[in-house]
Amino acid sequence: MSFNTFGHLFRVTTFGESHGPAIGCVIDGCPPRIPLTEADIQPYLDRRRPGQSRYTTQRQEPDTVKILSGIFVDEASGTQVTTGTPIALIIDNLDQRSKDYSDIKDKYRPGHADFTYDAKYGLRDYRGGGRQSARETAMRVAAGAIARKVVPGMNVRAALVQMGPHHADRARWDWAEVERNPFFCPDAKTAALLGDYLDGLRKSGSSIGAVIEVVADGVPAGLGAPIYGKLDGDLAAALMSINAVKGVEIGAGFGSAELTGEENGDEMRMGNDGKPLFLSNNAGGILGGISTGQPVVARFAVKPTSSILNPRRTVDRYGRETEITTTGRHDPCVGIRAVPVGEAMVACVIADHYLRQRGQVGDNPAWPFSPPAR
Ligand SMILES: Cc1cc2nc3c(=O)[nH]c(=O)nc-3n(C[C@H](O)[C@H](O)[C@H](O)COP(=O)(O)O)c2cc1C
């Protein structure tokens, strides 16, 4: 009845609350003999970590990850590798200021999950949102760092492509720029506008939504399964499971409603390497729930932060009408810190499907399969 686990063969279970002593996860099914140390995971956590710029929450958490199990030093090489047993990871919660939340403990924040947790469980940990808090997403990022190592040659990157009215211009897309500005925006010109825009929002006590695009390169053709195991279906579920995500699209997504069949269908030619070549990628690298070998492209919409300074009408758990303002720390745009989380979820789903495909075809050297010779 409790759904804190995702994946079939690469299986991730997370645990912990915002203001408990620690958060953690267990990754079961990771293949053995993959080199793994904390240093492989930490850089991804550092990208998601709060308090890194003035545009994200000032909660100060070093988010230092510790590997508790599932690793051993391989005698032959002297390298620390995965053993194939469950990998448990833990991050201590250090900056817990429960008092910030005490005056809202009985009130339901509009747009947050306070009401639904109470409706479902009859109680809730109001300190920082407890399990509803996106603090849990740190563990997804840690699991994603390991998932990336499972699929040889895979590179998963994400970028913030829209914040409020500001859209990244695709003609100026530069992946290097994503790491140069605090918004993970691929377009330097748009990124230059976002600082003042967010400062204005923060001063006015408000918040704003965003759209993130995730691109996975190096995904072999043939991952995913028809009908109930579609790669796009699993990606949508994984991305939708991220806190505050309200929309997911693959490839041309909702835009495909405006396209004709000629515009939308990705035409094919034979490439010089003897493999089919797609002339466009409206499919987002997935046809029939199965990867085409093109980049897998997914976008997700993140709603505006619901804990805002401006007063909002609400009710409390005793049925009284009241007002609420959130004075604790928050991100004016949680979409920024959702960028590494989106990457991690896509990496985990693709790693899971990669292992499932290997499980089904075995180590057949012909896979990824090519069309038969004429
Ligand atoms: C990285 C990240 C940080 C978040 N930080 C906050 C926050 O500071 N305040 C807030 O109200 N919501 C925050 N959220 C969103 C809430 O966790 C989320 O809206 C809430 O759990 C309700 O779930 P839902 O929006 O998915 O329905 C954050 C989301 C993400 C992805």
Side-chain angles (χ1 to χ4, degrees):
M1 289 296 287
S2 290
F3 294 94
N4 295 289
T5 300
F6 68 97
H8 290 258
L9 294 189
F10 188 87
R11 209 164 164 71
V12 180
T13 304
T14 72
F15 60 88
E17 290 82 27
S18 169
H19 285 57
I23 50 173
C25 69
V26 176
I27 298 143
D28 205 356
C30 181
R33 309 188 67 79
I34 295 178
L36 182 67
T37 67
E38 277 102 352
D40 294 318
I41 306 171
Q42 196 60 51
Y44 295 103
L45 287 167
D46 291 346
R47 290 176 81 229
R48 195 214 71 105
R49 197 152 61 88
Q52 296 212 93
S53 79
R54 62 198 176 94
Y55 306 109
T56 59
T57 176
Q58 291 309 299
R59 179 172 174 157
Q60 289 299 331
E61 290 284 5
D63 279 358
T64 307
V65 68
K66 213 176 344 168
I67 306 177
L68 298 183
S69 68
I71 47 167
F72 197 64
V73 176
D74 174 46
E75 269 178 40
S77 63
T79 309
Q80 181 170 288
V81 295
T82 56
T83 59
T85 60
I87 302 168
L89 305 175
I90 198 141
I91 295 174
D92 290 331
N93 286 330
L94 299 179
D95 185 7
Q96 313 127 318
R97 291 193 221 162
S98 300
K99 63 177 166 10
D100 283 348
Y101 302 95
S102 50
D103 56 341
I104 60 161
K105 76 182 178 60
D106 295 328
K107 296 181 182 176
Y108 298 137
R109 285 169 293 177
H112 221 290
D114 305 330
F115 166 68
T116 49
Y117 267 57
D118 251 358
K120 182 172 179 64
Y121 300 111
L123 85 170
R124 70 189 159 89
D125 180 350
Y126 55 81
R127 303 164 308 160
R131 183 78 178 154
Q132 346 154 13
S133 161
R135 179 111 191 90
E136 181 269 346
T137 61
M139 298 325 303
R140 305 171 185 228
V141 172
I146 299 176
R148 289 169 192 267
K149 292 176 150 254
V150 169
V151 187
M154 176 176 73
N155 186 19
V156 185
R157 297 178 287 187
L160 182 146
V161 294
Q162 185 185 346
M163 184 190 291
H166 300 291
H167 293 252
D169 183 341
R170 284 180 181 274
R172 291 193 294 259
W173 188 297
D174 176 3
W175 279 112
E177 182 56 33
V178 171
E179 304 305 322
R180 281 198 289 261
N181 66 71
F183 314 107
F184 301 114
C185 180
D187 164 13
K189 206 167 163 193
T190 301
L193 304 171
L194 298 182
D196 285 348
Y197 176 65
L198 276 180
D199 280 340
L201 276 167
R202 193 205 317 274
K203 275 185 206 132
S204 69
S206 190
S207 61
I208 194 70
V211 177
I212 318 304
E213 181 163 319
V214 191
V215 181
D217 292 299
V219 179
L223 304 193
I227 317 298
Y228 303 118
K230 285 181 161 187
L231 183 59
D232 37 1
D234 284 354
L235 286 171
L239 292 172
M240 192 60 100
S241 78
I242 300 171
N243 311 46
V245 172
K246 280 296 185 189
V248 178
E249 56 180 19
I250 307 288
F254 283 89
S256 60
E258 293 183 317
L259 301 179
T260 61
E262 295 85 343
E263 290 166 328
N264 181 66
D266 303 312
E267 291 189 301
M268 300 172 78
R269 281 279 172 256
M270 283 311 290
N272 293 335
D273 58 359
K275 292 183 183 158
L277 183 74
F278 293 92
L279 304 184
S280 53
N281 190 14
N282 289 316
I286 304 173
L287 290 170
I290 299 170
S291 60
T292 61
Q294 285 202 286
V296 170
V297 182
R299 270 177 302 280
F300 59 97
V302 181
K303 72 189 193 186
T305 322
S306 43
S307 319
I308 53 175
L309 293 175
N310 288 332
R312 310 275 295 141
R313 287 172 296 176
T314 190
V315 297
D316 67 15
R317 62 199 311 249
Y318 305 104
R320 295 177 297 220
E321 292 184 352
T322 179
E323 275 204 347
I324 187 167
T325 56
T326 314
T327 53
R329 299 153 293 176
H330 73 275
D331 293 358
C333 176
V334 293
I336 301 171
R337 291 177 55 232
V339 172
V341 184
E343 281 181 5
M345 293 308 281
V346 168
C348 287
V349 169
I350 295 174
D352 186 43
H353 276 279
Y354 177 77
L355 295 179
R356 286 158 70 176
Q357 173 69 2
R358 263 198 351 198
Q360 190 170 26
V361 301
D363 54 1
N364 188 329
W367 180 75
F369 299 114
S370 301
R374 280 187 295 155

